[in-house]
Amino acid sequence: LKANIFIIAIFITILIAYLSLMKVPNIPIKISFLDKIEHCIAYFTLSLSWFLYFYKKPKTKYKIAIACIFFGILLEGLQGTMTDYRTADYLDMIANSVGVVLGLITFNQILKKNNVYLQ
């Protein structure tokens, strides 16, 4: 099971990096803030997958949260510097961070519900 969670976490990490840096076609209809919701969901999923993989290491959950937030900041920075078809957006960074925080809250609730105490 742990190996499967690891593979899923790696896959999600690579997928987010790919989707963040790929060239996207112009979308004729834009829904306000739908992009931010997508960012939040992506980073919620990313962080939760890594929390679940490392759940037996109590002190790592905050390190994982910080790493996921920095990953989002890094990818936004790369969008602005390495591509000419994407731009860095601080609101995306905030949405990414909100997703990570929601992932941490959800993870803590899962632990609490299952009577697992981790600091």
Side-chain angles (χ1 to χ4, degrees), residues 33-107:
F33 284 98
L34 177 61
D35 175 56
K36 305 312 173 231
I37 294 168
E38 292 168 345
H39 278 261
C40 190
I41 291 169
Y43 280 80
F44 171 84
T45 306
L46 173 72
S47 62
L48 193 57
S49 67
W50 285 110
F51 292 141
L52 291 172
Y53 178 70
F54 285 107
Y55 87 95
K56 288 188 178 182
K57 297 184 180 182
K59 296 182 181 181
T60 62
K61 67 182 177 181
Y62 297 109
K63 292 175 186 175
I64 292 166
I66 291 168
C68 289
I69 289 169
F70 279 117
F71 182 66
I73 292 169
L74 173 67
L75 287 176
E76 286 298 319
L78 291 175
Q79 286 178 356
T81 58
M82 287 187 55
T83 69
D84 57 359
Y85 46 85
R86 303 287 295 256
T87 58
D89 183 355
Y90 74 92
L91 291 177
D92 286 349
M93 292 179 202
I94 292 170
N96 297 345
S97 300
V98 168
V100 172
V101 170
L102 291 174
L104 181 59
I105 291 168
T106 301
F107 178 68

